[in-house]
Amino acid sequence: RIGQYNWSGIKCSSGVFVSPACQLSKSKVEIKYPRQAILLNEEESKGIKEARLDELNKELNDNALRLRELYGWHFPEMLKIVTDDLMFAKTVKMMDVVRSSAKTMDFSDILPKNIEQALKESSEISTGTEISAEDIGKITQLCSNVISLTRQRAQLLDDI
């Protein structure tokens, strides 16, 4: 039995009384979609993913540029030493934004040996300005954004 039929009427889910009425159990009904509709949705999905990838790239580039600009005031030499945005963000985050901590840290998980050495040497003679507590908060947030957006971008590229 898939449902019921009632000549006298049944109250509809919208609150309207319908007479005569036919009522079907949702659990007993199977919905079938044509194969073409499913394929169209997969193509649309790919288009949506590609559009999202463009948005992610723009947002990632914007955050990376803002991070480089803001942190460049504090440690301008690092801009030329670490050119990859993800490495830059991870390095700044690992240093807790303070360049003076660079000479004692181990960046081998993030940076190649030659870049790590150049970074440590330049941190001792940097011409950058001191950094305010407000800027430290902004820089930390930008680092997190760049790392997160890079991860999302990689996952989306795998899906496409």
Side-chain angles (χ1 to χ4, degrees):
R1 182 175 172 179
I2 61 168
Q4 64 183 7
Y5 183 81
N6 192 328
W7 283 104
S8 58
I10 298 174
K11 190 173 186 178
C12 184
S13 60
S14 65
V16 178
F17 194 80
V18 180
S19 177
C22 178
Q23 186 177 32
L24 300 174
S25 299
K26 196 174 186 179
S27 62
K28 305 275 183 176
V29 178
E30 181 180 346
I31 300 173
K32 292 192 175 193
Y33 295 102
R35 178 93 176 121
Q36 295 163 337
I38 294 171
L39 292 175
L40 182 63
N41 288 337
E42 289 173 3
E43 290 173 12
E44 288 174 349
S45 175
K46 186 175 181 181
I48 291 169
K49 287 179 183 178
E50 288 172 352
R52 176 67 181 137
L53 182 62
D54 286 343
E55 290 173 23
L56 270 176
N57 284 333
K58 289 175 187 172
E59 194 173 346
L60 176 61
N61 289 338
D62 182 49
N63 278 273
L65 287 173
R66 288 175 53 208
L67 172 63
R68 286 180 169 279
E69 180 183 355
L70 194 55
Y71 197 70
W73 288 100
H74 178 61
F75 192 178
E77 297 82 2
M78 187 175 166
L79 296 173
K80 292 180 182 172
I81 297 169
V82 183
T83 56
D84 181 74
D85 292 334
L86 181 60
M87 286 182 187
F88 190 91
K90 285 182 175 182
T91 303
V92 172
K93 193 169 186 172
M94 190 174 187
M95 287 189 296
D96 285 333
V97 184
V98 183
R99 76 169 174 264
S100 60
S101 64
K103 57 188 160 195
T104 60
M105 300 201 70
D106 178 24
F107 297 106
S108 60
D109 291 346
I110 302 170
L111 302 172
K113 194 77 169 161
N114 60 338
I115 294 177
E116 180 181 5
Q117 188 61 35
L119 181 71
K120 288 181 178 185
E121 290 171 3
S122 65
S123 70
E124 295 176 18
I125 58 169
S126 178
T127 59
T129 62
E130 290 304 313
I131 197 162
S132 69
E134 182 181 335
D135 285 344
I136 288 174
K138 290 177 184 176
I139 290 169
T140 304
Q141 183 60 49
L142 286 169
C143 288
S144 298
N145 290 352
V146 169
I147 294 167
S148 173
L149 290 169
T150 303
R151 199 174 297 131
Q152 289 177 29
R153 183 180 178 276
Q155 288 173 347
L156 196 55
L157 281 171
D158 288 344
D159 288 348
I160 294 176

